[in-house]
Structure formats: structure tokens, C-alpha cells
């Protein structure tokens, strides 16, 4: 493995981060804020470390798959480390572990925060916080691939390392086109949402920050009360729409826009995902209405916001769901575990795996009836290989095992069971808010430092996908 | 394009220097801000707080002086009143010339007018005070004026104390921001040095070792020095020159043999 190639690619990643740090610095400098110097220094560090490898390392056209895996993992790790620099240099509530947690939570688009007073942050730092969502949403490597003139094989290697097998099913494009589709949809949705939120009454600064967090399915808000601060049904419904869209496969969104036959309306998995959310919203709304929590329209408004927020792994909140009935908690926990669709900006288990699991279950039941028959599982009209089917089942088991292990660790350091369990599933699913002490209107500040570190690893596992991390360790053991 | 080894190493070190200089500059700026905050604490707030304390002390003395006058200790009372008045006026001047907080000027104007009103009441002749009702008028009127001035001075002191507390809290944050660039630069410098040594080893030491190894294993039958150097710098030039030397030596020895 060529270390110099990996170092050069992480240099690109740092330069990409440097651009957003520069924008954040300019905001801070224009407003004469206390975060000006921390952002400027972080920008300089990124520029120096980003350009440094270019002095020595020549261009390399080919990248091996193992190098690709390490580049992706190192890119994410370096990004998270760079992301914490402005926080620790600014101070306030940011200790080293808090800054690391906030940075990982931002880049992995989890949206879990340790801040008790978000509004105390200068605007430049708030913008950087939202930018971490936006950079991490589509995957920093994807942005790097868009900009860099690398060979098709290198690009394909890095795409393979960054994306799951399932998400590639609906991308019927070449490597460069995949990157372009992703970025065009991503930037387009962000711009449209920003305009709509501004028209709906948000300030431009809040609108762009909330759009970054929505399209990236992140969840960081610029307000202590999250979206509840604006208390506007119109803003709620705009965000609900974009959270839902951001939870869908970006390739299919692009296909819908350019008028392809295979689009979000004709794809079985999308229809199943949206139908399930619809059922979830109705059930929660009915429960809230008949339990006399709100009137019917408010029940529908709050239920749709909270269900879509968790189902898309965004994590914004308009009410404190902690006070809701237990029945609604179960539904919300289900959506927290299920997560959104592959090919979207969300992390975690992903709905398509659950969908494939049930299809596979159906196949196994048929096999019990007809042991000699040959059945093929199809996803959106395409046959799924036995290998992918098995991998998906193993992934689900590993996923469940991981969040149970994290729950065990958290309870060992005296976090209560409900908080530990919901914090584990919400971080591995890159969702954000949970229940108990980490509910939608609360934060992760009360979790002990070691617990925060464990949860940050959970977030990275959810974002990078467990198999990629295992593969990374296999490289060291000579498995690749 | 041919890349110069010297320039590459120089660029690496320049970047390290730039990192350290940036950290130094940032720390200096933050420390300057820190010292400004200390100045604010000492010059702006502390001075007015001390002046306010003196004003309060002077007011208390004036109150005692008034009571002594009313109790027929006219000379002692008047002396205390005049001394305390000078003390108050001097401290008020200090506070008036040190307006640094928002709304502090309003407070100063209020003290000025209330004190004038208070002073006007006790500076009347003794007979006049007695004829107005003596100790009774003190309770009804003079003491009320005294309390009003005291409250206004207390407000001024509270305003400055609050600002001083806020500034002191900010000092902790400012000192953190002054120290952090240094710590980040130390860690960054260490990582940078490791990277630089890796690149020097990879692009300079290893190729030279490779050439040395190739020279060591070279036999006359090889005719060409075989290395795996792909760069386009002085080390490649060295390899080319060695090969050219080998070519010339081989040619010379062949000529001699003929």
C-alpha cells in the first residue's frame, strides 16, 4: 500500500474543508465575532497540511481497492479531526471530547449535540457546524472526486469504497456521472429549500443552515429549540417535505427530474418506504389526538414532523417527544432503527436492507414449502444475488449486535437503560435525538466523556458502514 | 517538469515555519486582547467602583454631620459636612471622567442632580434647619434625599461590578483562546515533522540507498545500473550520470583491450 498516495488524497480532503472554514471565517470576521481567530487558524492549518503532500507526491492514476478503503477511512478521520479544531480553539462548552463528539456528529450527519446553549455560539461557528453536515452528507470523497481530474478506474475504486453495494443498484451511470448526479441533486435541493425557507419567513442565515442540515439529513439547528423556535406550520411542512426527499435515493430523484421511467414513483422500495412513513404518521397522529395531546391538525403536524425527521435520520424537533405516549415512542424507535434509503445522505441500517430482509424471509418460507424450487429475490425489478442477500442479513445481525454492545457499555458507566439504548440506536443510525436524557429537546451533555467517545465511534460505524471498517482491519491482517 | 530537491525540502520547512508563525501571530493577538481586558478591568471598572465606595462613605459622613448639626453640635457637624462634601466631589469627578459602560452617563447625571438637591438641603443655615422642624424635617425630607443619592451611587457601583464580573468571566475564555493556537501548533508541528521525515525518507534517502545498493551489486556484465527510481529530480540525474560514467568506463576499457 502506497502511504504517499493516501496522504495526498487526505490533502485534497483538507483543502475541501479549508474552503468551508474560509467561508465561516469570513462570516465571523464580517461580524467581528470571537470565533474569527479560531476559524482563521483552523483554515491555515488545513491549507498547510492540504498543500504539503503536493510538493512531494506525483500524480497516481491507479488506486487499489485496499488503498481506496484506507483513503475513505483516513479522509473521514482527518475530516473529523479538522472539524473539531475551531471548536476546541473557541472554547465555551467545547472540551476536547465535546469538540470531537460535535465534529463527528456533524460530519456523520447524526446531529446529536453536547451544547446546552446553541445560540451562544458565534454565527461563523454556527455556519461551520452546519457545513460539517453538508460536507459529510454526500460524503467528502464524492466532492473530492467531482473536482479532481482522476482516471475512471481511480474514481470507480473510491466510489466502491465509499458507497454500499445496495446503493449502487439504482445508479445506472458511469463513475463520473454518479458523482455528478449526487452533487447536482444535493446542491439543487439545498438551494431550493433555502429559497423556500427564506420566503416562509426565516432569515437567510437560518435558512441556509437549516437547509444544509435537512438535505444532509443532519439535524443541527441554529436555535436552542430546534425548528420549534420558528413556530410556523409552513416552515414545518417545507422541512418535512425536504427531509422526506433527502431520505430517498438521489439517483432516483435525478431520474424523476429528467423523466426516466424508473423513478421515485415507480420504484417498489420507495413506495414501500413512503407508505410505511405515511402509516407511521397516521398512527402517531391518531394516538396524540385521542390521548388529548393536541387538536387534529396539530397532531398531524407534529406527528408528521417527528416521524419524517427520525425516518429520514435528520433529527430536527418541533416538540419534546419524551412526554408523548409510549405507543408513539415504539413507532419512533422503529423508524430510528430502520433509517432512510440507500443512495440518500442518511447513514445507519437503511430501509432497503429491511425491505430485502423481508423479501428474503418470504423466499425462505417458500423454500420450506418447496425445498427443491429455485426462487430469486428481486429488488425494484432486478434480481439480487445470493451473495448480496447473505451480506445484507449478516449486516443486519452485526448492526443489532453493535448497538446492543454500545448499550451494554453505556449502562456499565451508569447511564440509565432507556437513555443508553436510545442513544446507541440513534447514533449508529446517524439520527440524532433519542429518548430519556437525550430526547429531542435535550442534548448529550450529561453522557460521561467515555460514553461520548463510544457513541462517536458508533456514529462513524453507522456512516462508514460496519463492513468497510471490518475490511479496513482485514487489510492490516492481510485479508485484502 | 524537473523538480528541484532543494526547493522541495525548503518548501517543506517553509510550511512548518508558516505554521509556527501563524500560531505565534494568533497567540500574540489573543494575548493582546487579554491584556486589553485586564486594562478594562483595572482602569474602567475598578476605578469607578472605588470612587463609588468613597462617595458612599462621604454620604454616610454627611448624614452623621447633619444629625450632629440638628443635635446642636453645629461646628463639629459643619466641619464633618464640608470634609465629606470635598471627599464626595473629588470621587464624583473621578467617576464622571471614567464613563466606559452603556448608560453610565445617565447614572452620573442622576447622581449629580440628586446630590445637588441633597446638598442644597443641608447647606442651609442652622437656624433655618431648626425652624423647618429640626429632627422631624430630617426624617421627612433630608434623609429621603440622602437615600436617593445613596441608591444612585449604588446603581453606578453595581453597573461597574457587573461589567467587571462579565469581563473576568471572558478572561478565562480569552486566555483559553490565547493558549490553544500554541498547543495546536505543537501537535500540528509534530505531525508535520513526521510527515516531512516520511517524505524525505521516501523521496531522498530511499532512492540514494537504492542507488548505493545497485552500485554495490553492480558487475561489469550488467553494463547498466538498474534502479527503480521514477522521479524526475537530482536523484534521477545522479542515476543517469552514474550510467553515463559506466558507459564511458566500459567504452574506455574496451578500447584499451583492443
Amino acid at each position: 500500500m502506497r502511504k504517499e498516495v493516501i496522504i495526498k488524497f487526505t490533502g485534497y480532503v483538507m483543502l475541501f474543508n479549508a474552503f468551508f472554514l474560509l467561508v465561516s471565517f469570513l462570516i465571523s470576521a464580517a461580524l467581528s465575532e470571537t470565533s474569527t481567530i479560531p476559524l482563521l487558524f483552523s483554515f491555515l492549518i488545513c491549507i498547510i497540511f492540504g498543500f504539503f503532500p503536493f510538493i512531494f507526491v506525483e500524480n497516481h492514476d491507479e488506486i487499489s481497492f485496499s488503498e481506496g478503503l484506507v483513503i475513505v477511512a483516513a479522509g473521514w478521520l482527518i475530516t473529523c479531526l479538522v472539524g473539531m479544531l475551531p471548536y476546541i480553539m473557541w472554547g465555551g462548552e467545547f472540551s476536547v471530547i465535546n469538540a470531537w463528539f460535535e465534529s463527528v456528529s456533524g460530519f456523520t450527519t447524526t446531529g446529536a449535540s453536547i451544547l446546552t446553549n446553541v445560540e451562544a455560539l458565534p454565527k461563523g461557528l454556527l455556519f461551520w457546524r452546519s457545513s460539517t453536515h453538508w460536507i459529510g452528507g454526500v460524503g467528502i470523497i464524492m466532492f473530492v472526486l467531482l473536482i479532481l481530474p482522476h482516471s475512471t478506474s481511480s474514481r470507480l475504486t473510491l466510489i466502491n469504497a465509499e458507497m454500499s453495494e445496495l446503493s449502487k443498484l439504482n445508479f445506472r451511470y458511469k463513475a463520473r456521472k454518479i458523482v455528478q448526479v449526487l452533487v447536482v441533486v444535493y446542491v439543487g435541493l439545498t438551494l431550493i429549500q433555502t429559497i423556500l425557507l427564506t420566503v416562509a419567513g426565516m432569515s437567510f442565515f437560518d435558512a441556509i443552515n437549516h437547509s444544509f442540515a435537512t438535505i444532509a439529513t443532519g439535524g443541527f439547528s441554529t436555535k436552542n429549540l430546534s425548528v420549534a423556535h420558528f413556530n410556523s406550520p409552513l416552515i414545518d411542512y417545507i422541512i418535512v417535505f425536504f427531509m422526506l426527499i433527502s431520505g430517498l435515493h438521489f439517483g432516483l430523484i435525478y431520474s424523476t427530474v429528467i423523466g426516466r421511467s424508473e423513478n421515485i414513483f415507480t420504484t417498489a422500495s420507495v413506495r414501500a418506504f413512503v407508505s410505511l412513513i405515511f402509516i407511521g404518521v397516521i398512527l402517531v397522529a391518531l394516538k396524540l389526538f385521542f390521548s388529548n395531546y393536541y387538536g387534529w391538525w396539530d397532531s398531524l403536524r407534529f406527528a408528521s414532523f417527528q416521524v419524517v425527521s427520525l425516518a429520514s435520520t435528520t433529527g430536527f424537533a418541533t416538540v419534546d417527544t419524551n412526554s408523548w405516549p409510549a405507543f408513539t415512542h415504539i413507532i419512533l424507535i422503529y423508524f430510528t432503527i430502520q433509517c432512510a434509503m440507500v443512495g440518500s445522505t442518511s447513514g445507519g441500517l437503511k430501509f432497503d436492507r429491511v425491505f430485502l430482509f423481508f423479501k428474503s424471509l418470504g423466499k425462505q418460507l417458500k423454500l420450506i414449502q418447496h425445498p427443491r424450487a429455485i426462487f430469486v429475490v428481486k429488488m425494484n425489478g432486478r434480481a439480487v444475488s445470493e451473495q448480496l442477500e447473505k451480506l445484507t442479513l449478516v449486516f443486519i445481525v452485526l448492526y443489532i449486535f453493535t448497538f446492543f454492545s454500545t448499550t451494554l457499555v453505556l449502562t456499565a458507566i451508569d447511564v440509565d437503560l432507556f437513555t443508553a439504548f436510545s442513544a446507541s440506536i440513534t447514533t449508529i443510525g446517524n439520527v440524532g435525538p433519542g429518548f430519556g436524557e437525550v430526547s429531542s429537546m435535550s442534548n448529550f451533555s450529561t453522557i460521561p466523556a467515555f460514553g461520548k467517545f463510544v457513541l462517536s465511534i458508533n456514529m462513524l460505524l453507522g456512516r462508514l458502514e460496519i463492513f468497510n471498517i471490518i475490511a479496513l482491519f482485514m487489510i492490516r491482517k492481510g485479508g485484502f | 517538469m524537473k523538480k528541484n530537491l532543494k526547493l522541495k525540502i525548503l518548501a517543506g520547512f517553509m510550511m512548518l515555519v508558516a505554521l509556527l508563525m501563524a500560531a505565534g501571530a494568533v497567540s500574540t493577538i489573543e494575548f493582546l486582547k487579554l491584556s486589553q481586558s485586564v486594562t478594562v478591568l483595572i482602569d474602567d471598572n475598578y476605578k469607578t467602583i472605588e470612587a463609588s465606595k468613597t462617595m458612599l462613605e462621604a454620604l454616610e459622613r454627611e448624614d452623621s454631620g447633619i444629625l450632629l448639626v440638628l443635635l446642636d453640635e453645629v461646628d463639629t457637624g459643619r466641619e464633618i459636612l464640608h470634609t465629606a462634601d470635598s471627599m464626595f466631589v473629588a470621587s464624583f469627578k473621578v467617576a464622571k471622567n471614567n464613563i466606559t459602560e452603556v448608560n453610565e452617563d445617565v447614572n452620573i447625571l442622576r447622581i449629580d442632580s440628586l446630590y445637588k438637591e441633597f446638598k442644597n438641603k443641608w447647606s442651609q443655615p442652622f437656624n433655618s434647619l431648626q425652624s423647618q422642624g429640626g429632627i422631624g424635617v430630617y426624617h421627612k425630607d433630608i434623609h429621603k434625599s440622602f437615600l436617593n443619592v445613596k441608591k444612585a451611587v449604588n446603581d453606578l457601583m453595581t453597573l461597574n461590578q457587573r461589567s467587571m464580573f462579565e469581563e473576568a468571566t471572558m478572561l478565562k475564555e480569552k486566555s483559553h483562546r490565547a493558549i490553544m493556537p500554541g498547543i495546536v501548533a505543537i501537535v500540528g508541528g509534530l505531525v508535520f515533522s513526521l510527515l516531512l521525515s516520511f517524505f524525505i525518507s521516501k523521496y531522498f534517502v530511499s532512492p540514494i540507498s537504492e542507488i548505493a545498493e545497485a552500485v554495490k551489486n553492480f558487475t561489469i556484465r550488467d553494463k547498466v545500473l538498474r534502479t527503480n527510481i521514477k522521479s524526475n529530480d537530482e536523484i534521477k540525474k545522479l542515476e543517469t550520470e552514474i550510467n553515463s560514467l559506466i558507459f564511458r568506463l566500459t567504452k574506455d576499457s574496451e578500447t584499451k583491450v583492443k
Side-chain angles (χ1 to χ4, degrees), chain A residues 395-460:
Chain A
F395 185 95
I396 292 172
V397 173
L398 264 176
Y399 190 85
I400 294 168
F401 176 77
T402 309
F403 73 65
F404 270 114
S405 305
T406 316
T407 307
L408 187 74
V409 173
L410 289 181
T411 49
I413 52 170
D414 297 331
V415 177
D416 72 87
L417 181 61
F418 195 39
T419 304
F421 178 72
S422 71
S424 301
I425 57 167
T426 201
T427 48
I428 197 168
N430 300 139
V431 179
F435 296 96
E437 282 180 40
V438 292
S439 71
S440 52
M441 286 292 165
S442 191
N443 53 67
F444 284 67
S445 59
T446 54
I447 304 285
F450 180 68
K452 283 176 193 160
F453 179 73
V454 171
L455 292 173
S456 67
I457 300 299
N458 240 14
M459 294 178 210
L460 284 169

Side-chain angles (χ1 to χ4, degrees), chain A residues 314-377:
Chain A
T314 310
F316 279 141
T318 48
V319 283
D320 188 3
T321 49
N322 241 2
S323 59
W324 282 9
F327 172 77
T328 62
H329 286 175
I330 298 294
I331 292 173
L332 293 176
I333 285 173
Y334 168 74
F335 282 111
T336 307
I337 295 173
Q338 176 197 276
C339 303
M341 297 192 71
V342 292
S344 68
T345 52
S346 69
L349 183 59
K350 302 212 172 83
F351 171 75
D352 302 63
R353 290 199 176 94
V354 180
F355 192 57
L356 185 57
F357 167 77
F358 281 108
K359 289 216 163 203
S360 191
L361 188 70
K363 179 184 146 183
Q364 296 305 320
L365 290 174
K366 281 184 200 165
L367 275 172
I368 292 168
Q369 288 174 311
H370 311 284
R372 289 184 185 175
I374 296 171
F375 296 104
V376 178
V377 171

Side-chain angles (χ1 to χ4, degrees), chain A residues 4 37 49 88-90 92, chain B residues 23 26 30 173 176-177 188 203:
Chain A
E4 64 278 11
I37 297 284
F49 275 90
I88 47 168
M89 287 177 69
W90 185 75
Chain B
V26 166
E30 292 291 347
E173 290 290 316
H176 172 91
R177 277 173 212 145
Y203 291 98

